[in-house]
């Protein structure tokens, strides 16, 4: 048994058992977050040696958005506009993103990946391509759907829909 697994003590009552279960879940999330941080650091370094994970996160967020203003990027990532501005300049200097005029607001620019940025992102992600698929290869589709449903409920602060 790993140090993140706990045997609930029924003598503690249902609230104690629930608290133990939540702590175990919290520990598993911590391990998962650490794993994802490592992957992000590796991908950032593949895009540009020495790139910080925050810059990689900004880069991939721009990629997901397709086109986005700095202000919208700042709001979406919950990051200070000054930090976004510095990171955008760094990504531009690396030739990974470009600015174009925002047709809806002449004072703003739209950020998007360059073809070089798209190629570097694909190259950086290549080692992890299919990783989740491989990890879930022995899982049933019902288990994958259930995990997706539960994570969505947790992320949105809702009680899970049982689907029944």
């Amino acid at each position: 048994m790993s140090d993140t697994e706990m045997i609930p003590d029924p003598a503690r009552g249902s609230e104690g058992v629930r608290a133990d279960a939540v702590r175990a879940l919290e520990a598993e999330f911590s391990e998962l977050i650490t794993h994802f941080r490592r992957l992000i650091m590796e991908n950032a370094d593949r895009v540009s040696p020495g790139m910080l994970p925050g810059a990689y996160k900004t880069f991939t967020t721009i990629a997901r958005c397709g086109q986005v203003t700095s202000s919208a990027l700042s709001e979406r990532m919950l990051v200070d506009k000054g930090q976004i501005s510095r990171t955008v300049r760094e990504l531009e200097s690396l030739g990974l993103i470009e600015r174009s005029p925002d047709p809806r607001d002449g004072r703003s620019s739209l950020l998007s990946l360059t073809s070089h940025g798209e190629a570097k992102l694909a190259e950086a992600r290549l080692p992890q391509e299919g990783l989740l698929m491989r990890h879930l290869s022995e899982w049933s589709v019902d288990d994958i759907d259930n995990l997706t449903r539960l994570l969505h409920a947790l992320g949105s602060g809702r009680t899970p829909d049982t689907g029944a």
Side-chain angles (χ1 to χ4, degrees):
M1 180 178 298
S2 74
D3 58 5
T4 58
E5 294 177 305
M6 298 175 66
I7 299 173
D9 179 2
R12 294 187 58 213
S14 64
E15 285 306 309
V17 170
R18 178 175 294 277
D20 289 345
V22 169
R23 281 188 204 100
L25 177 61
E26 197 175 270
E28 290 302 326
F29 273 129
S30 179
E31 290 298 315
L32 190 59
I33 289 167
T34 298
H35 176 74
F36 281 127
R37 282 184 177 158
R38 187 174 300 114
L39 291 177
I40 288 169
M41 287 172 50
E42 291 169 2
N43 284 1
D45 204 54
R46 278 193 286 276
V47 168
S48 179
M51 176 183 274
L52 295 175
Y56 181 77
K57 177 76 171 149
T58 302
F59 179 51
T60 58
T61 302
I62 294 168
R64 272 192 309 281
C65 291
Q67 289 187 323
V68 65
T69 64
S70 290
S71 293
L73 187 61
S74 174
E75 289 174 25
R76 182 179 182 131
M77 295 182 64
L78 302 174
V79 175
D80 175 77
K81 288 180 183 180
Q83 180 62 44
I84 288 293
S85 180
R86 289 185 293 277
T87 303
V88 163
R89 282 194 304 274
E90 174 190 347
L91 295 172
E92 278 183 303
S93 73
L94 293 169
L96 300 171
I97 66 168
E98 61 190 356
R99 296 176 197 252
S100 59
D102 184 344
R104 292 171 292 170
D105 182 355
R107 299 167 295 156
S108 287
S109 296
L110 294 172
L111 307 171
S112 60
L113 267 58
T114 62
S115 56
H116 173 68
E118 290 172 1
K120 292 299 285 183
L121 183 57
E123 180 185 312
R125 288 177 167 166
L126 192 59
Q128 280 94 33
E129 235 174 57
L131 185 64
L132 189 56
M133 186 69 85
R134 286 192 302 277
H135 283 294
L136 298 176
S137 66
E138 300 296 319
W139 289 39
S140 72
V141 172
D142 286 343
D143 284 344
I144 295 168
D145 288 345
N146 193 39
L147 177 61
T148 302
R149 179 183 62 78
L150 293 171
L151 287 173
H152 178 76
L154 181 62
S156 62
R158 297 186 182 134
T159 301
D161 177 17
T162 59

